[in-house]
Amino acid sequence: MGAEMRCQARELLIIGKENVVSYERPTLSKAYCKPEGPKLPGFHACVGGGGEKQEPAWYKEKGIEYLTGTTATSVDIKGKSVSTDKGQKYSYDKLMVATGSTNITLDTFGAKNAKLNGIFYLRDIADGDKLNEGIAKAKNASKEVVVVGGGYIGMEVSSMLTPHGLNITLVFPEDRLMSRLFTPDIAAYYEKYYQDKGIKLIKGELASGFADAGDGSVKAVELKSGGTIPADLVVVGAGAKPNVDLFEGQLDLLEDKPGGIKTNAQLQTSNPDVYAVGDIAAFPQTLYGGGPSRQEHVQHARLSAAFAASEMMAPGKRGDYNYLPFFYSREFDRAWQFYGINQGEPVFFGDASAGKFGSYWIDDGKVVGAFLESGSGDENNAIKQVATVRPSAPSKDELSKAGLDFATKASQKSAATVASAGNSFSSSQACVDMAVIGGFFLAAYGFRKLRTMHYNR
Ligand code: NAD
């Protein structure tokens, strides 16, 4: 929302079950549990997107009512109302659903003793606070820590916990780290990096249960193959699922893969007054054939929320939501970015021994995805533009030899095209409604300067 805009009373209400207003969730797994990790209000939305810091006073100034610590317990889509655990019922004109995801817990797979003390997940700030307590305890105990899962949480949390001087074992079922994105070449680099930092990797193993120390707390992780790993602190990152329960039978939902609430290219659900954004939105991926896609990433949360908010205010003015998939991570002093899709044949480039390398993916003769470790701002922008434009690929050898030069040249050549392609919002525009992330966003936007809508209690 621009500085000049302000809602009228009762025009915009946000309902969120957490006790704090929206914040930058990526901070949780990258830094929150470091010794002297960041604290709120240091990482409120939407500083990560380059925007204003939205502390509680920000919402007040803008005339937005933000109900923290409030859970939406039911939604009546036909009757256009939301009821909360505080016994309130709010009617609305337009509703934005941004309910996000929940961690998949290991009891879902029938893991034994999955609820013992000392087993942690990380999704919100309350989880981060509990994990910080667990870390303090583990430091005074055996210092043996197991991180379950070789994806985003597994990699970032292992890195975040290392400065505590704990003995960390990372266990996962795949043959390599981050197998959903990393090629064997890329994974080999990070695996060595992690091992050099003292982290033990156990590949090809599922955590099937936990051993009880006798006092209701964990003492070991049990592996499906029969082994055990001692641990008095366990952190699990075994994936996430979209929070769609409130809308069962009321909105069109998609089964697993991709799951979520089905939307059109304007992020409108099967009810035209209800929009879905962030992790739960299964939107048509117009860049890749139009099939439904769910993106669990903060960039999509920002951009989809901003897009849907402006659609709610001025329907039909934005064209289609045109999202270029983007992922990034930071572990230790490493930082990588990926744009596009990792489909087709990977082509490694650069020098892993020098820590500067990447990969392209060629599909159907075109470069459709690009990954880069330790890229500068310009270099990351070049790989982003390659993934946006999808230029014809030279031979694998030539592409590998050209490395980053290919991205730089291709992006220079297509600069004019790229200026109007790719994500529909710049990141500064994207911050308009970052407030929706992780919250439940009840929007009553009017078309002209937020005047025509209202909500009633
Ligand atoms: P993920 O899908 O990235 O990784 C899950 C991992 O857990 C996989 O390796 C999987 O095989 C493994 N696993 C599942 N069951 C297991 C078991 N019983 N034993 C051992 N391993 C098991 O999911 P995540 O790391 O939990 O992250 C959840 C979501 O959080 C992501 O989808 C992402 O949206 C978000 N996230 C993103 C970032 C980022 O973008 N940098 C960072 C943190 C979290």
Side-chain angles (χ1 to χ4, degrees):
M1 182 175 296
E4 76 290 351
M5 287 183 105
R6 195 177 186 286
C7 296
Q8 300 301 302
R10 296 193 168 175
E11 278 188 325
L12 177 56
L13 173 71
I14 300 175
I15 300 174
K17 74 174 172 196
E18 290 189 62
N19 289 326
V20 292
V21 301
S22 183
Y23 53 87
E24 299 279 344
R25 218 173 278 285
T27 306
L28 293 178
S29 51
K30 292 176 179 69
Y32 192 68
C33 302
K34 278 186 176 167
E36 311 301 319
K39 298 277 171 275
L40 284 176
F43 58 101
H44 270 302
C46 50
V47 282
E52 292 174 32
K53 197 197 282 177
Q54 297 175 197
E55 295 187 48
W58 184 94
Y59 296 94
K60 245 190 200 138
E61 266 165 36
K62 307 284 179 199
I64 299 166
E65 190 171 349
Y66 197 134
L67 300 180
T68 54
T70 305
T71 300
T73 46
S74 66
V75 179
D76 176 359
I77 295 288
K78 274 205 185 116
K80 301 181 87 168
S81 71
V82 178
S83 301
T84 73
D85 61 346
K86 301 286 189 308
Q88 300 281 8
K89 187 171 175 175
Y90 301 93
S91 64
Y92 63 81
D93 292 309
K94 292 196 191 268
L95 177 70
M96 185 186 284
V97 183
T99 43
S101 303
T102 301
N103 294 316
I104 297 174
T105 51
L106 288 186
D107 50 317
T108 317
F109 308 119
K112 191 184 91 188
N113 289 334
K115 304 244 160 138
L116 289 175
N117 293 329
I119 302 172
F120 297 91
Y121 293 82
L122 192 54
R123 168 65 44 178
D124 60 26
I125 215 152
D127 293 336
D129 290 338
K130 283 188 228 153
L131 178 54
N132 272 328
E133 285 169 24
I135 293 166
K137 269 194 199 155
K139 279 172 143 176
N140 292 319
S142 73
K143 296 191 171 57
E144 295 296 334
V145 176
V146 172
V147 178
V148 175
Y152 284 103
I153 293 283
M155 286 191 71
E156 292 183 1
V157 165
S158 309
S159 154
M160 177 168 72
L161 297 193
T162 298
H164 287 283
L166 301 159
N167 305 318
I168 300 169
T169 301
L170 179 54
V171 58
F172 49 95
E174 294 88 4
D175 64 354
R176 61 183 187 275
L177 279 175
M178 193 72 78
S179 64
R180 65 163 143 155
L181 174 63
F182 289 1
T183 64
D185 286 334
I186 297 175
Y189 171 82
Y190 294 104
E191 286 172 10
K192 177 165 184 324
Y193 198 93
Y194 273 54
Q195 284 161 334
D196 289 348
K197 292 285 180 190
I199 295 172
K200 190 171 166 201
L201 302 183
I202 301 184
K203 305 183 197 180
E205 281 284 7
L206 272 172
S208 58
F210 301 91
D212 189 337
D215 60 357
S217 62
V218 66
K219 75 164 184 195
V221 175
E222 295 172 347
L223 302 177
K224 197 167 176 206
S225 67
T228 59
I229 323 170
D232 36 34
L233 171 68
V234 176
V235 187
V236 182
K241 56 175 194 292
N243 294 321
V244 296
D245 292 359
L246 286 172
F247 309 98
E248 294 273 359
Q250 301 197 80
L251 296 176
D252 284 358
L253 305 183
L254 291 176
E255 293 297 312
D256 201 21
K257 297 220 175 356
I261 300 175
K262 190 176 175 199
T263 75
N264 62 17
Q266 283 65 50
L267 303 177
Q268 212 167 18
T269 67
S270 50
N271 182 299
D273 290 324
V274 181
Y275 291 72
V277 300
D279 284 19
I280 43 106
F283 60 95
Q285 183 50 280
T286 45
L287 288 178
Y288 306 112
S293 167
R294 257 191 346 98
Q295 296 284 318
E296 294 180 3
H297 194 265
V298 64
Q299 176 83 336
H300 161 66
R302 291 179 184 132
L303 295 173
S304 61
F307 183 97
S310 57
E311 270 296 308
M312 289 164 104
M313 296 197 306
K317 294 271 161 93
R318 294 272 164 193
D320 291 347
Y321 181 62
N322 184 17
Y323 184 74
L324 176 70
F326 165 58
F327 298 97
Y328 76 92
S329 189
R330 289 190 298 273
E331 295 111 0
F332 300 104
D333 62 350
R334 307 288 77 200
W336 58 259
Q337 297 205 356
F338 168 81
Y339 292 91
I341 45 171
N342 56 328
Q343 191 171 293
E345 278 206 74
V347 178
F348 189 85
F349 64 84
D351 181 1
S353 64
K356 185 79 183 260
F357 63 92
S359 183
Y360 296 109
W361 279 260
I362 303 177
D363 194 38
D364 208 13
K366 303 218 172 288
V367 181
V368 296
F371 174 99
L372 182 60
E373 165 60 50
S374 295
S376 65
D378 284 349
E379 290 165 345
N380 285 330
N381 200 36
I383 63 159
K384 174 183 176 183
Q385 298 198 356
V386 163
T388 306
V389 175
R390 282 172 280 167
S392 295
S395 74
K396 284 175 70 178
D397 263 4
E398 280 174 285
L399 187 56
S400 176
K401 255 188 220 137
L404 257 178
D405 274 356
F406 176 81
T408 311
K409 283 187 186 139
S411 68
Q412 279 162 357
K413 242 193 243 165
S414 57
T417 326
V418 170
S420 60
N423 291 330
S424 305
F425 282 78
S426 72
S427 53
S428 56
Q429 283 169 306
C431 287
V432 172
D433 288 294
M434 177 65 182
V436 300
I437 290 182
F440 188 93
F441 187 83
L442 176 64
Y445 281 110
F447 176 25
R448 283 184 196 89
K449 297 227 170 179
L450 310 172
R451 263 181 218 291
T452 59
M453 306 292 188
H454 62 280
Y455 66 85
N456 308 306
R457 290 177 210 245

